[in-house]
Amino acid sequence: MKTKQDVIRWLGEHADEFIHLANQIWARPELAWEEVFSSRLQADYLESQGFRITWNVAGMPTAFCAGWGSGRPVLGFAGEYDALPGLSQKVQTSPEPVVPGGPGHGCGHNLLGTGCLAAAAAARYWLEANGKPGTLRYYGCPAEEGGGAKTFMARAGTFDDLDAALNFHPDQANYAMKGSNLGIYHLRFRFHGIAAHAGSAPHLGRSALDAVELMNVGVNYLREHVTSDVRIHYAITHGGDAPNIVPAEAEVSYLIRAHQPDTLEQVTERVRKVAAGAAMMTETQMEIIFDSAFSSLLNNHYLADLQYEAMKWIGPIEYTPEELAFAQGINDRYPAGNVEALFKTLRPPAGYGELLARFRGRALISENFPSLDEGAIRTSSTDVGDLSRVAPLSLLRTTCAPTGAPAHGWGFAAAAGMSIGHKGMLHAARIMALTAVDLLDNPLHIQKAREEFELAMQETPYHCPMPAEVQPPS
Ligand SMILES: [Zn+2]
């Protein structure tokens, strides 16, 4: 397996194995931190390919590292495998769960992890055949959906010796990201008051619910005085039990997002002050529970260009009439304007209107794009952000779903369980494997990627947003 053609051929010959792995994970969706089956399945496969497995990475039982080779460069592939609650979905063009209320792969992480795994396995055989130095690592990363395993791993130094990292996410088009997104804090504010009979002794009570409501009012005023990249959302997770008892306990869960790390810190500090003010007003005690924190993404443009070279070499994805009809069937179920929401960002990328015109009326996007989001800031968040701030990273996106079906929805989950998703996953595996071969073959690529990375780090040094005392669930 000496050439790039050999790498592509090997992935083609083993495509059924990867599809089988992705299907097994799709059919047995596991929520964040519960990925016992999915992580074991992937680790067993990589072990069978000669990788050394280390479990319990950064103290997380469903996190593992599979390593092969020795010496530099050290390349990391960051895979995920967690599902989303309530998104159980059959492989069909209308919404219907396999298990009512059950979890499902509405973000396509069954494809994400398996695509990264396939690329790592292919690169391993190229490395062996060419007798070159180099270390490949596949990181099995749990709990991307809200848990943030990669943030814990980044804090623990797991990625510190990586020369470069590759990651892929299912999408509605083929391109390597050059844009960014928002960093996020997930905090819960719990207030402790004094219960009392609401009718006969309200003056003796101190309402924790009042504190929650006053905090929300305060934060809603704060909204007027933040930069336009800031997003603040809350849900009251406990609001008392009965109106005839002054609530002694109440809790509100907050997501606070911003693009720049220092903006995120400052806004979060102001939200904390509002919460403290609410506690003071109501004579209650306030407690903060830290759920997770992700940094915003720093995509390496040099690596993205390298991935685009690989895409051009491979060519577009080809779809059958049945796949196009399936995709159209899903699109028909969604609002017609959904394609407009595609790549919806805070700051639209250059040529955005022209791009939408090319996509409108098409069920699946088969061709490769150099980058669809240069200069764009998305309003979503991912823990890949923390990996991207400790090693040069390129986040690849490939078409795994119809144009009208956004991630975290039933249509995306349906596509992730059939050939449209599989084709996108295998496309990503080929692109990442060829990019890895380039990085292993020519030290200049690593050098260029690192120069860009070091420059960005000088401008905005990385501070892990997860406080030292917060530990992942064990
Ligand atoms: Zn996702």
Side-chain angles (χ1 to χ4, degrees):
M1 198 162 135
K2 289 215 158 213
T3 66
K4 286 186 176 178
Q5 281 87 350
D6 295 338
V7 170
I8 299 296
R9 196 175 310 118
W10 187 88
L11 282 167
E13 285 163 7
H14 294 78
D16 287 349
E17 289 169 30
F18 301 125
I19 290 170
H20 185 54
L21 287 175
N23 278 345
Q24 287 180 83
I25 296 170
W26 185 90
R28 198 164 157 175
E30 296 171 304
L31 294 175
W33 303 121
E34 296 170 6
E35 315 92 335
V36 176
F37 170 79
S38 307
S39 60
R40 173 63 65 184
L41 190 72
Q42 295 203 338
D44 285 351
Y45 176 82
L46 286 167
E47 193 166 32
S48 77
Q49 303 300 309
F51 283 73
R52 298 172 303 271
I53 311 295
T54 313
W55 280 99
N56 219 32
V57 175
M60 296 175 286
T62 54
F64 70 94
C65 177
W68 196 90
S70 61
R72 301 208 89 93
V74 184
L75 300 188
F77 298 83
E80 299 162 14
Y81 26 65
D82 58 327
L84 286 157
L87 282 179
S88 175
Q89 169 63 34
K90 291 182 178 174
V91 175
Q92 62 184 40
T93 57
S94 58
E96 189 186 349
V98 181
V99 179
H105 275 287
C107 207
H109 292 184
N110 62 314
L111 308 170
L112 192 171
T114 311
C116 290
L117 165 150
R124 165 242 185 280
Y125 286 107
W126 181 91
L127 201 54
E128 186 176 50
N130 286 278
K132 292 212 170 224
T135 305
L136 297 164
R137 297 218 192 104
Y138 173 89
Y139 295 98
C141 308
E144 190 278 333
E145 301 291 358
K150 291 183 207 71
T151 312
F152 288 115
M153 289 158 117
R155 192 183 69 184
T158 305
F159 306 124
D160 280 357
D161 67 342
L162 290 183
D163 289 300
L166 298 172
N167 171 258
F168 127 77
H169 201 289
D171 202 307
Q172 285 107 339
N174 305 307
Y175 63 105
M177 280 180 77
K178 285 191 176 177
S180 186
N181 66 355
L182 302 183
I184 191 169
Y185 273 119
H186 184 188
L187 304 173
R188 278 180 290 148
F189 295 85
R190 195 174 283 172
F191 293 90
H192 307 281
I194 300 168
H197 192 294
S200 58
H203 57 291
L204 298 180
R206 297 292 179 267
S207 171
L209 176 60
D210 288 358
V212 162
E213 295 197 77
L214 287 165
M215 176 186 173
N216 294 344
V217 169
V219 170
N220 288 332
Y221 275 94
L222 174 64
R223 263 178 226 292
E224 290 182 2
H225 308 289
V226 295
T227 48
S228 58
D229 57 316
V230 172
R231 296 283 185 279
I232 310 173
H233 293 91
Y234 59 79
I236 296 176
T237 43
H238 183 205
D241 301 307
N244 61 357
I245 308 165
V246 172
E249 300 292 329
E251 185 190 85
V252 59
S253 179
Y254 265 82
L255 296 180
I256 308 162
R257 304 180 204 242
H259 178 51
Q260 289 298 335
D262 53 351
T263 309
L264 184 58
E265 288 295 333
Q266 287 155 12
V267 172
T268 304
E269 186 49 33
R270 294 196 70 185
V271 171
R272 278 182 219 255
K273 283 181 179 168
V274 170
M280 187 187 276
M281 279 190 275
T282 52
E283 294 191 337
T284 56
Q285 301 297 314
M286 189 264 291
E287 176 193 0
I288 298 177
I289 295 135
F290 204 102
D291 278 334
S292 63
F294 304 168
S295 297
S296 58
L297 261 173
L298 180 72
N299 273 295
N300 193 279
H301 290 208
Y302 186 85
L303 291 178
D305 288 337
L306 208 56
Q307 302 233 66
Y308 182 55
E309 290 304 313
M311 281 184 223
K312 283 194 290 188
W313 200 80
I314 294 162
I317 303 178
E318 281 168 21
Y319 294 109
T320 64
E322 291 76 24
E323 285 161 347
L324 290 167
F326 187 91
Q328 189 57 52
I330 288 178
N331 278 352
D332 289 345
R333 287 280 183 151
Y334 278 96
N338 244 18
V339 71
E340 311 289 335
L342 214 65
F343 319 114
K344 194 85 185 160
T345 58
L346 201 62
R347 192 202 291 157
Y352 182 62
E354 193 187 314
L355 199 70
L356 280 184
R358 287 179 70 176
F359 287 177
R360 222 169 266 132
R362 294 177 55 194
L364 285 169
I365 305 300
S366 55
E367 65 266 48
N368 301 306
F369 292 91
S371 178
L372 289 176
D373 66 341
E374 187 156 3
I377 299 172
R378 288 162 195 254
T379 49
S380 59
S381 310
T382 169
D383 65 359
V384 181
D386 289 86
L387 167 56
S388 77
R389 287 172 186 277
V390 287
L393 167 116
S394 180
L395 205 169
L396 174 71
R397 323 281 300 202
T398 62
T399 301
C400 293
T403 49
H408 294 205
W410 68 267
F412 208 94
M418 49 86 71
S419 61
I420 293 171
H422 301 151
K423 283 187 174 178
M425 172 186 83
L426 295 169
H427 195 55
R430 287 185 206 103
I431 296 162
M432 288 187 289
L434 293 190
T435 304
V437 164
D438 279 334
L439 292 169
L440 294 165
D441 202 26
N442 184 353
L444 188 71
H445 292 312
I446 297 277
Q447 193 190 318
K448 293 273 189 195
R450 286 217 72 93
E451 277 168 15
E452 181 187 323
F453 174 76
E454 303 296 348
L455 205 64
M457 284 300 103
Q458 276 169 22
E459 274 172 34
T460 313
Y462 176 62
H463 299 290
C464 184
M466 196 80 81
E469 67 276 13
V470 180
Q471 295 302 321
S474 53

